[in-house]
Amino acid sequence: MMKILICGFSGAGKSTWLQELKAHRGSMANYHFYDLDELIANEIGVDSKALGKSIAEIGELKFREIELGLLLKFLQNDQHFVMSLGGGALNQTIIDYIKQNSEQIKLVFLNEELEICIERIKNDHNRLLSKLTVNELNNLYFKR
């Protein structure tokens, strides 16, 4: 089973790419398409448009626990899928899992320039990163 994970910084275009692939699936007709943030929103019982507010309420640590659990659950299932990840979903546990299962999991990194990402997220109040300064975003961009 092939699993394709789309990753990149917040605002890089992961969800947009996922929707484009889904709309023009062609040879990927037997693939499922998932947005990890939407899966998390469903898991905690909120609308995906309110996920940022929910993260602020439950805390980033709890959010990351839910995110990791869901991602590992999907990575261990027996279906072909493409999934867009949240900007901070890749951690050492996931990276190690991908390395150990590289014949079944491919990581696609959208390497968008930070300035473009900032422009895309700056007025999106559902994204917690929109509240950070340019310097904070720059540090986070290079950390991730």
Side-chain angles (χ1 to χ4, degrees):
M1 295 290 131
M2 181 56 66
K3 294 149 180 45
I4 300 169
L5 304 175
I6 304 170
C7 67
F9 197 70
S10 185
K14 301 175 298 290
S15 295
T16 301
W17 271 72
L18 179 73
Q19 293 308 315
E20 285 295 316
L21 288 171
K22 187 176 181 180
H24 303 96
R25 55 179 67 199
S27 64
M28 301 178 88
N30 63 338
Y31 277 71
H32 298 272
F33 295 84
Y34 301 106
D35 184 310
L36 184 55
D37 284 345
E38 288 179 7
L39 294 172
I40 294 167
N42 289 339
E43 180 78 11
I44 63 176
V46 300
D47 185 284
S48 61
K49 301 283 188 231
L51 187 58
K53 181 180 177 193
S54 297
I55 295 169
E57 290 172 359
I58 66 173
E60 186 175 358
L61 184 61
K62 181 65 177 170
F63 170 77
R64 295 292 177 205
E65 287 175 17
I66 295 167
E67 180 181 58
L68 177 62
L70 279 172
L71 183 50
L72 285 173
K73 176 182 160 187
F74 274 82
L75 290 175
Q76 294 166 355
N77 75 23
D78 290 333
Q79 62 177 233
H80 294 293
F81 68 79
V82 179
M83 180 182 289
S84 63
L85 303 180
L90 287 180
N91 61 31
Q92 199 58 52
T93 300
I94 295 300
I95 291 168
D96 290 344
Y97 189 89
I98 292 168
K99 286 179 182 177
Q100 293 167 3
N101 297 280
S102 61
E103 68 284 347
Q104 297 176 347
I105 304 170
K106 300 302 176 202
L107 196 58
V108 176
F109 176 65
L110 300 184
N111 188 21
E112 188 59 82
E113 293 179 22
L114 176 60
E115 294 77 18
I116 293 172
C117 293
I118 291 172
E119 187 63 31
R120 290 176 180 165
I121 69 173
K122 72 179 181 183
N123 294 319
D124 185 347
H125 302 293
N126 189 43
R127 296 177 190 251
L128 295 179
L129 296 186
S130 69
K131 296 172 178 62
L132 299 180
T133 67
V134 172
N135 192 39
E136 291 170 322
L137 287 168
N138 188 54
N139 291 337
L140 189 58
Y141 180 85
F142 288 104
K143 177 182 174 189
R144 289 183 177 173

mmCIF file of all heavy atoms in Angstrom, residues 6 10 17 22 28 39 56 60 62 65 71-72 78 80 82 85 90 101 104-105 109 116-117 126 129 131-133 144:
data_model
loop_
_atom_site.group_PDB
_atom_site.id
_atom_site.type_symbol
_atom_site.label_atom_id
_atom_site.label_comp_id
_atom_site.label_asym_id
_atom_site.label_seq_id
_atom_site.Cartn_x
_atom_site.Cartn_y
_atom_site.Cartn_z
ATOM 1 N N ILE A 6 1.986 14.896 2.123
ATOM 2 C CA ILE A 6 2.362 16.214 1.628
ATOM 3 C C ILE A 6 2.684 17.080 2.847
ATOM 4 O O ILE A 6 1.840 17.263 3.726
ATOM 5 C CB ILE A 6 1.227 16.863 0.811
ATOM 6 C CG1 ILE A 6 0.804 15.948 -0.339
ATOM 7 C CG2 ILE A 6 1.665 18.230 0.294
ATOM 8 C CD1 ILE A 6 -0.458 16.407 -1.050
ATOM 9 N N SER A 10 3.319 26.105 7.139
ATOM 10 C CA SER A 10 1.956 26.635 7.092
ATOM 11 C C SER A 10 1.847 27.656 5.970
ATOM 12 O O SER A 10 2.660 28.569 5.864
ATOM 13 C CB SER A 10 1.624 27.295 8.435
ATOM 14 O OG SER A 10 0.298 27.710 8.474
ATOM 15 N N TRP A 17 -2.781 21.555 -2.878
ATOM 16 C CA TRP A 17 -2.237 20.446 -3.677
ATOM 17 C C TRP A 17 -3.090 19.192 -3.501
ATOM 18 O O TRP A 17 -3.367 18.487 -4.470
ATOM 19 C CB TRP A 17 -0.798 20.150 -3.279
ATOM 20 C CG TRP A 17 0.209 20.941 -4.042
ATOM 21 C CD1 TRP A 17 0.490 22.265 -3.927
ATOM 22 C CD2 TRP A 17 1.062 20.434 -5.070
ATOM 23 N NE1 TRP A 17 1.473 22.620 -4.801
ATOM 24 C CE2 TRP A 17 1.841 21.519 -5.516
ATOM 25 C CE3 TRP A 17 1.254 19.187 -5.643
ATOM 26 C CZ2 TRP A 17 2.790 21.381 -6.514
ATOM 27 C CZ3 TRP A 17 2.205 19.049 -6.630
ATOM 28 C CH2 TRP A 17 2.954 20.142 -7.063
ATOM 29 N N LYS A 22 -6.854 15.341 -5.789
ATOM 30 C CA LYS A 22 -8.151 14.674 -5.646
ATOM 31 C C LYS A 22 -9.036 14.942 -6.858
ATOM 32 O O LYS A 22 -9.703 14.043 -7.360
ATOM 33 C CB LYS A 22 -8.824 15.167 -4.361
ATOM 34 C CG LYS A 22 -10.083 14.445 -4.008
ATOM 35 C CD LYS A 22 -10.604 14.962 -2.666
ATOM 36 C CE LYS A 22 -11.860 14.248 -2.252
ATOM 37 N NZ LYS A 22 -12.361 14.746 -0.959
ATOM 38 N N MET A 28 -4.566 7.689 -9.855
ATOM 39 C CA MET A 28 -4.707 7.530 -8.412
ATOM 40 C C MET A 28 -6.168 7.262 -8.021
ATOM 41 O O MET A 28 -6.592 7.574 -6.919
ATOM 42 C CB MET A 28 -4.187 8.772 -7.692
ATOM 43 C CG MET A 28 -2.725 9.068 -7.976
ATOM 44 S SD MET A 28 -2.158 10.556 -7.160
ATOM 45 C CE MET A 28 -1.666 9.859 -5.593
ATOM 46 N N LEU A 39 -9.140 15.693 9.768
ATOM 47 C CA LEU A 39 -9.304 14.475 10.574
ATOM 48 C C LEU A 39 -9.245 14.790 12.069
ATOM 49 O O LEU A 39 -10.021 14.245 12.860
ATOM 50 C CB LEU A 39 -8.225 13.448 10.215
ATOM 51 C CG LEU A 39 -8.280 12.863 8.808
ATOM 52 C CD1 LEU A 39 -7.038 12.025 8.527
ATOM 53 C CD2 LEU A 39 -9.547 12.037 8.611
ATOM 54 N N ALA A 56 -5.931 26.347 20.625
ATOM 55 C CA ALA A 56 -5.639 27.302 21.692
ATOM 56 C C ALA A 56 -6.302 26.873 23.002
ATOM 57 O O ALA A 56 -5.735 27.036 24.080
ATOM 58 C CB ALA A 56 -6.095 28.699 21.286
ATOM 59 N N GLU A 60 -1.295 23.111 22.729
ATOM 60 C CA GLU A 60 -0.556 22.501 21.628
ATOM 61 C C GLU A 60 -0.109 21.082 21.956
ATOM 62 O O GLU A 60 -0.118 20.209 21.085
ATOM 63 C CB GLU A 60 0.651 23.347 21.232
ATOM 64 C CG GLU A 60 1.326 22.791 19.997
ATOM 65 C CD GLU A 60 2.460 23.634 19.457
ATOM 66 O OE1 GLU A 60 2.737 24.709 20.000
ATOM 67 O OE2 GLU A 60 3.063 23.184 18.468
ATOM 68 N N LYS A 62 -1.582 18.703 23.785
ATOM 69 C CA LYS A 62 -2.703 17.777 23.573
ATOM 70 C C LYS A 62 -3.007 17.647 22.082
ATOM 71 O O LYS A 62 -3.256 16.547 21.581
ATOM 72 C CB LYS A 62 -3.944 18.270 24.338
ATOM 73 C CG LYS A 62 -5.138 17.367 24.198
ATOM 74 C CD LYS A 62 -4.901 16.002 24.824
ATOM 75 C CE LYS A 62 -6.136 15.137 24.737
ATOM 76 N NZ LYS A 62 -5.849 13.751 25.111
ATOM 77 N N GLU A 65 -0.521 15.386 20.495
ATOM 78 C CA GLU A 65 -0.792 13.979 20.857
ATOM 79 C C GLU A 65 -1.878 13.395 19.951
ATOM 80 O O GLU A 65 -1.738 12.278 19.449
ATOM 81 C CB GLU A 65 -1.239 13.874 22.316
ATOM 82 C CG GLU A 65 -0.156 14.090 23.331
ATOM 83 C CD GLU A 65 -0.705 14.084 24.757
ATOM 84 O OE1 GLU A 65 -1.839 13.600 24.987
ATOM 85 O OE2 GLU A 65 0.011 14.571 25.642
ATOM 86 N N LEU A 71 -2.187 10.224 12.846
ATOM 87 C CA LEU A 71 -1.272 9.994 11.736
ATOM 88 C C LEU A 71 -0.704 8.581 11.779
ATOM 89 O O LEU A 71 -0.685 7.885 10.760
ATOM 90 C CB LEU A 71 -0.154 11.043 11.748
ATOM 91 C CG LEU A 71 0.846 10.991 10.597
ATOM 92 C CD1 LEU A 71 0.164 10.927 9.239
ATOM 93 C CD2 LEU A 71 1.794 12.183 10.682
ATOM 94 N N LEU A 72 -0.284 8.128 12.949
ATOM 95 C CA LEU A 72 0.237 6.756 13.055
ATOM 96 C C LEU A 72 -0.837 5.726 12.726
ATOM 97 O O LEU A 72 -0.552 4.722 12.059
ATOM 98 C CB LEU A 72 0.797 6.507 14.459
ATOM 99 C CG LEU A 72 2.142 7.150 14.744
ATOM 100 C CD1 LEU A 72 2.507 6.988 16.221
ATOM 101 C CD2 LEU A 72 3.237 6.572 13.847
ATOM 102 N N ASP A 78 -4.191 -0.364 5.824
ATOM 103 C CA ASP A 78 -3.916 -1.040 4.551
ATOM 104 C C ASP A 78 -4.624 -0.384 3.377
ATOM 105 O O ASP A 78 -5.308 -1.053 2.614
ATOM 106 C CB ASP A 78 -4.355 -2.506 4.635
ATOM 107 C CG ASP A 78 -3.467 -3.316 5.553
ATOM 108 O OD1 ASP A 78 -2.291 -2.950 5.717
ATOM 109 O OD2 ASP A 78 -3.952 -4.320 6.112
ATOM 110 N N HIS A 80 -4.274 2.732 0.134
ATOM 111 C CA HIS A 80 -3.512 3.764 -0.574
ATOM 112 C C HIS A 80 -4.117 5.107 -0.188
ATOM 113 O O HIS A 80 -5.338 5.250 -0.193
ATOM 114 C CB HIS A 80 -3.667 3.624 -2.094
ATOM 115 C CG HIS A 80 -3.073 2.390 -2.677
ATOM 116 N ND1 HIS A 80 -1.723 2.152 -2.691
ATOM 117 C CD2 HIS A 80 -3.639 1.325 -3.288
ATOM 118 C CE1 HIS A 80 -1.481 1.005 -3.293
ATOM 119 N NE2 HIS A 80 -2.633 0.474 -3.663
ATOM 120 N N VAL A 82 -3.342 9.692 -0.009
ATOM 121 C CA VAL A 82 -2.550 10.916 -0.038
ATOM 122 C C VAL A 82 -3.092 11.759 1.108
ATOM 123 O O VAL A 82 -4.301 11.896 1.275
ATOM 124 C CB VAL A 82 -2.721 11.687 -1.366
ATOM 125 C CG1 VAL A 82 -1.899 12.972 -1.343
ATOM 126 C CG2 VAL A 82 -2.341 10.825 -2.554
ATOM 127 N N LEU A 85 -0.401 17.105 5.550
ATOM 128 C CA LEU A 85 -0.101 17.206 6.972
ATOM 129 C C LEU A 85 -0.177 18.649 7.422
ATOM 130 O O LEU A 85 -0.033 19.573 6.622
ATOM 131 C CB LEU A 85 1.315 16.684 7.245
ATOM 132 C CG LEU A 85 1.627 15.265 6.808
ATOM 133 C CD1 LEU A 85 3.069 14.920 7.164
ATOM 134 C CD2 LEU A 85 0.667 14.267 7.440
ATOM 135 N N LEU A 90 5.334 16.817 11.331
ATOM 136 C CA LEU A 90 6.523 15.971 11.258
ATOM 137 C C LEU A 90 7.352 16.142 12.528
ATOM 138 O O LEU A 90 7.849 17.215 12.815
ATOM 139 C CB LEU A 90 7.388 16.329 10.043
ATOM 140 C CG LEU A 90 6.850 15.917 8.697
ATOM 141 C CD1 LEU A 90 7.821 16.339 7.600
ATOM 142 C CD2 LEU A 90 6.593 14.427 8.626
ATOM 143 N N ASN A 101 9.676 2.568 6.921
ATOM 144 C CA ASN A 101 8.654 2.083 5.989
ATOM 145 C C ASN A 101 8.720 2.818 4.660
ATOM 146 O O ASN A 101 7.700 3.030 4.002
ATOM 147 C CB ASN A 101 7.263 2.247 6.620
ATOM 148 C CG ASN A 101 7.105 1.421 7.868
ATOM 149 O OD1 ASN A 101 6.850 0.227 7.796
ATOM 150 N ND2 ASN A 101 7.309 2.038 9.018
ATOM 151 N N GLN A 104 6.785 2.030 1.455
ATOM 152 C CA GLN A 104 5.335 2.243 1.418
ATOM 153 C C GLN A 104 4.916 3.683 1.657
ATOM 154 O O GLN A 104 3.756 4.034 1.439
ATOM 155 C CB GLN A 104 4.653 1.378 2.482
ATOM 156 C CG GLN A 104 4.809 -0.093 2.273
ATOM 157 C CD GLN A 104 4.193 -0.871 3.423
ATOM 158 O OE1 GLN A 104 3.862 -0.329 4.467
ATOM 159 N NE2 GLN A 104 4.031 -2.161 3.219
ATOM 160 N N ILE A 105 5.832 4.521 2.129
ATOM 161 C CA ILE A 105 5.480 5.901 2.480
ATOM 162 C C ILE A 105 6.428 6.849 1.763
ATOM 163 O O ILE A 105 7.646 6.732 1.875
ATOM 164 C CB ILE A 105 5.582 6.147 3.995
ATOM 165 C CG1 ILE A 105 4.711 5.154 4.765
ATOM 166 C CG2 ILE A 105 5.184 7.584 4.326
ATOM 167 C CD1 ILE A 105 4.939 5.179 6.268
ATOM 168 N N PHE A 109 7.655 17.263 -0.036
ATOM 169 C CA PHE A 109 7.865 18.529 0.666
ATOM 170 C C PHE A 109 7.613 19.693 -0.274
ATOM 171 O O PHE A 109 8.255 19.807 -1.322
ATOM 172 C CB PHE A 109 9.298 18.596 1.209
ATOM 173 C CG PHE A 109 9.646 19.901 1.858
ATOM 174 C CD1 PHE A 109 9.007 20.305 3.022
ATOM 175 C CD2 PHE A 109 10.608 20.735 1.311
ATOM 176 C CE1 PHE A 109 9.329 21.517 3.628
ATOM 177 C CE2 PHE A 109 10.934 21.948 1.907
ATOM 178 C CZ PHE A 109 10.291 22.336 3.072
ATOM 179 N N ILE A 116 6.034 34.125 0.974
ATOM 180 C CA ILE A 116 4.764 33.733 0.355
ATOM 181 C C ILE A 116 3.865 33.061 1.390
ATOM 182 O O ILE A 116 2.661 33.338 1.456
ATOM 183 C CB ILE A 116 5.010 32.829 -0.869
ATOM 184 C CG1 ILE A 116 5.690 33.657 -1.969
ATOM 185 C CG2 ILE A 116 3.707 32.209 -1.374
ATOM 186 C CD1 ILE A 116 6.154 32.865 -3.158
ATOM 187 N N CYS A 117 4.440 32.204 2.217
ATOM 188 C CA CYS A 117 3.661 31.553 3.283
ATOM 189 C C CYS A 117 3.065 32.597 4.224
ATOM 190 O O CYS A 117 1.889 32.518 4.586
ATOM 191 C CB CYS A 117 4.536 30.576 4.066
ATOM 192 S SG CYS A 117 5.094 29.144 3.122
ATOM 193 N N ASN A 126 -7.761 31.541 11.788
ATOM 194 C CA ASN A 126 -7.874 30.145 12.200
ATOM 195 C C ASN A 126 -6.485 29.516 12.355
ATOM 196 O O ASN A 126 -6.341 28.471 12.950
ATOM 197 C CB ASN A 126 -8.709 29.344 11.198
ATOM 198 C CG ASN A 126 -9.026 27.955 11.709
ATOM 199 O OD1 ASN A 126 -9.371 27.757 12.870
ATOM 200 N ND2 ASN A 126 -8.890 26.969 10.838
ATOM 201 N N LEU A 129 -0.389 30.448 13.763
ATOM 202 C CA LEU A 129 0.849 31.087 13.341
ATOM 203 C C LEU A 129 0.628 32.503 12.834
ATOM 204 O O LEU A 129 1.564 33.304 12.796
ATOM 205 C CB LEU A 129 1.546 30.255 12.258
ATOM 206 C CG LEU A 129 2.032 28.865 12.664
ATOM 207 C CD1 LEU A 129 2.830 28.229 11.528
ATOM 208 C CD2 LEU A 129 2.838 28.895 13.929
ATOM 209 N N LYS A 131 -0.585 34.802 14.305
ATOM 210 C CA LYS A 131 -0.399 35.718 15.420
ATOM 211 C C LYS A 131 1.082 35.957 15.737
ATOM 212 O O LYS A 131 1.415 36.811 16.544
ATOM 213 C CB LYS A 131 -1.122 35.187 16.649
ATOM 214 C CG LYS A 131 -2.630 35.127 16.472
ATOM 215 C CD LYS A 131 -3.285 34.419 17.639
ATOM 216 C CE LYS A 131 -4.784 34.375 17.543
ATOM 217 N NZ LYS A 131 -5.330 33.675 16.418
ATOM 218 N N LEU A 132 1.973 35.197 15.089
ATOM 219 C CA LEU A 132 3.405 35.331 15.364
ATOM 220 C C LEU A 132 4.014 36.476 14.562
ATOM 221 O O LEU A 132 3.513 36.852 13.504
ATOM 222 C CB LEU A 132 4.127 34.026 15.017
ATOM 223 C CG LEU A 132 3.711 32.776 15.789
ATOM 224 C CD1 LEU A 132 4.523 31.572 15.332
ATOM 225 C CD2 LEU A 132 3.852 32.970 17.294
ATOM 226 N N THR A 133 5.107 36.975 15.070
ATOM 227 C CA THR A 133 5.840 38.020 14.348
ATOM 228 C C THR A 133 6.605 37.385 13.196
ATOM 229 O O THR A 133 6.805 36.167 13.158
ATOM 230 C CB THR A 133 6.850 38.723 15.270
ATOM 231 O OG1 THR A 133 7.873 37.788 15.639
ATOM 232 C CG2 THR A 133 6.173 39.298 16.514
ATOM 233 N N ARG A 144 11.582 23.893 11.387
ATOM 234 C CA ARG A 144 10.809 22.789 10.838
ATOM 235 C C ARG A 144 11.430 22.296 9.554
ATOM 236 O O ARG A 144 11.341 21.186 9.179
ATOM 237 C CB ARG A 144 9.361 23.213 10.572
ATOM 238 C CG ARG A 144 8.607 23.413 11.868
ATOM 239 C CD ARG A 144 7.165 23.757 11.587
ATOM 240 N NE ARG A 144 6.429 23.877 12.830
ATOM 241 C CZ ARG A 144 5.180 24.307 12.884
ATOM 242 N NH1 ARG A 144 4.539 24.664 11.803
ATOM 243 N NH2 ARG A 144 4.572 24.390 14.034
#
